[in-house]
Amino acid sequence: ACVKKEGVTHARCGLSFANQLLKDLEEVKELLVKVTRKRLRDVLLTEKHKLELEIKNQPQPKPKDAVEEEKSSLGGYTVKINNYGWDQSDKFIKIYISLNGVQKLPAENVQVNFTERSFDLLVKNLNGKNYTMTFNNLLKPISVEGSSRKIKTDTVLVMCRKKREEKWDCLTQVEKESKEKEKAAYDTSDPSEGLMNLLKKMYAEGDDEMKRTINKAWVESREKQSKGDIPMDI
């Protein structure tokens, strides 16, 4: 179904997501210091490697001079687009942006740059203004070559070609993280709670081998706890 979002500044969201990854990595490192059991340590090391790789793959911000040069080349007033609608098919994520009279512009005035996990839209000199929209940290990878844009009456349609034909629950990782936090009804201030929440997340996202490892560790932990060997629930 088509969902509208208003008042979202995606450049800031991208920064927030990068900061969240760094905080997650710091928490995993803290838990690694406290955990002594090999299986749990192996699970945490896997998560640590995954987070480090995701941080490494974050899009780098443009140098300040490049941003200034880009702004000066545009001229006029630049408006950041915050209103849009989106839908999806088996093969595409479709983002609809309403701009009155956009069909009258030369085709080269409507530009979209795609990467595997982001896209930037730039509409130049529409009624004396420039319009921009940036999506960072898309929920899943897209095909750069298979993605495109279409200009319709008063509308720009951005077509992101899915790399895998599967349903997206939202558009960005930021939205996914936000939904997960809303669903979390437990307090993570306690280190043991933080470990349990992390293990639950890894279990939900992990492959069969990961699930077997966590299950085995959980059963052994329960057995030791019932014998009085472990004072807290891990």
Side-chain angles (χ1 to χ4, degrees), residues 161-191:
R161 180 68 155 87
K162 297 177 181 178
K163 277 204 166 181
R164 296 180 60 183
E165 295 183 11
E166 54 188 351
K167 183 181 178 181
W168 290 27
D169 294 325
C170 51
L171 282 180
T172 66
Q173 285 284 354
V174 175
E175 291 178 55
K176 179 184 177 184
E177 293 287 333
S178 178
K179 288 182 179 180
E180 288 177 350
K181 286 181 180 179
E182 289 175 3
K183 290 180 181 179
Y186 34 71
D187 180 20
T188 59
S189 58
D190 183 79

Side-chain angles (χ1 to χ4, degrees), residues 7-22:
V8 179
T9 304
H10 288 277
R12 292 182 182 176
C13 286
L15 179 61
S16 175
F17 181 66
N19 287 340
Q20 186 61 48
L21 287 176
L22 290 171

Side-chain angles (χ1 to χ4, degrees), residues 105-124:
L105 289 176
E108 60 268 20
N109 280 33
V110 182
Q111 303 171 0
V112 184
N113 295 317
F114 296 96
T115 73
E116 192 175 68
R117 296 296 287 269
S118 69
F119 73 82
D120 295 285
L121 167 68
L122 173 62
V123 179
K124 294 192 278 188

Side-chain angles (χ1 to χ4, degrees), residues 65-82:
D65 55 349
V67 174
E68 293 301 323
E69 181 180 345
E70 184 178 283
K71 287 182 179 178
S72 63
S73 67
L74 291 175
Y77 180 63
T78 299
V79 179
K80 184 168 289 187
I81 302 169
N82 291 323

